[in-house]
Amino acid sequence: MTLYRPHPPRAVALLAALLLPALLVGCSADQPDTRNAARPKPSTSGVPSPAPANIEKIASLTGCEADIRMEADELREGVCKTSRGNWIVTTFPAEKFKQTWLDTASMYGGTYLVGPKWAIGAKPAVLKQLRTKVGGELQQLRSINDPAPATSSPAT
């Protein structure tokens, strides 16, 4: 017989962050933040080096003042809404938390812009625009309902 164990608050907060719809977000800044924020340096590919894992800096680089909606030991989450679209910026204190978050998010599928200790969720067109500002890599996550890609077997 197993005893019921209540979920620790951190686990509940992480689960809540993963289940909230990415596009039902809002913050109210269409104008870039004028604070002094270091811009990521462009690389040879024309995409800047990834931004630091700080919601306020990432939001500033993308022309938004993020509305922080979650602060937990495992992650921080801020939302942006501008005339260009809506997005969620999630930062993590360690890569292991980001990887756990991405693994869980893959259940739902979608495209994310991912950098060191951060991820941004939005529509793919918005993510492509944001990538020119904050760097990172676009990652397409397969949902559990997506069929597996066709595989070819080597000829014998």
Side-chain angles (χ1 to χ4, degrees):
M1 174 186 238
T2 328
L3 295 176
Y4 172 76
R5 290 187 189 143
H7 296 286
R10 284 191 253 163
V12 173
L14 181 59
L15 182 60
L18 296 173
L19 297 177
L20 295 173
L23 296 177
L24 297 176
V25 299
C27 92
S28 61
D30 280 339
Q31 306 208 358
D33 191 343
T34 56
R35 293 179 287 184
N36 292 330
R39 298 250 179 230
K41 295 179 176 77
S43 69
T44 57
S45 68
V47 175
S49 300
N54 179 292
I55 289 176
E56 291 79 10
K57 287 182 182 176
I58 292 171
S60 174
L61 292 171
T62 62
C64 170
E65 186 176 324
D67 180 22
I68 304 300
R69 74 175 185 186
M70 177 170 294
E71 295 208 39
D73 291 341
E74 296 87 358
L75 61 86
R76 285 184 77 218
E77 186 173 82
V79 295
C80 289
K81 183 177 180 180
T82 72
S83 58
R84 292 177 291 149
N86 305 335
W87 59 91
I88 297 175
V89 180
T90 308
T91 60
F92 309 89
E95 282 293 312
K96 67 180 182 177
F97 295 116
K98 178 184 83 178
Q99 193 55 53
T100 299
W101 186 89
L102 287 170
D103 290 346
T104 305
S106 69
M107 293 180 1
Y108 307 101
T111 303
Y112 296 86
L113 181 58
V114 180
K117 297 194 273 185
W118 57 263
I120 299 175
K123 292 183 178 180
V126 173
L127 294 175
K128 288 177 184 175
Q129 292 175 10
L130 297 177
R131 186 172 184 235
T132 65
K133 305 290 185 190
V134 299
E137 296 296 325
L138 292 171
Q139 287 190 17
Q140 176 70 44
L141 304 179
R142 300 183 64 76
S143 79
I144 58 176
N145 295 322
D146 285 346
T151 59
S152 59
S153 55
T156 52

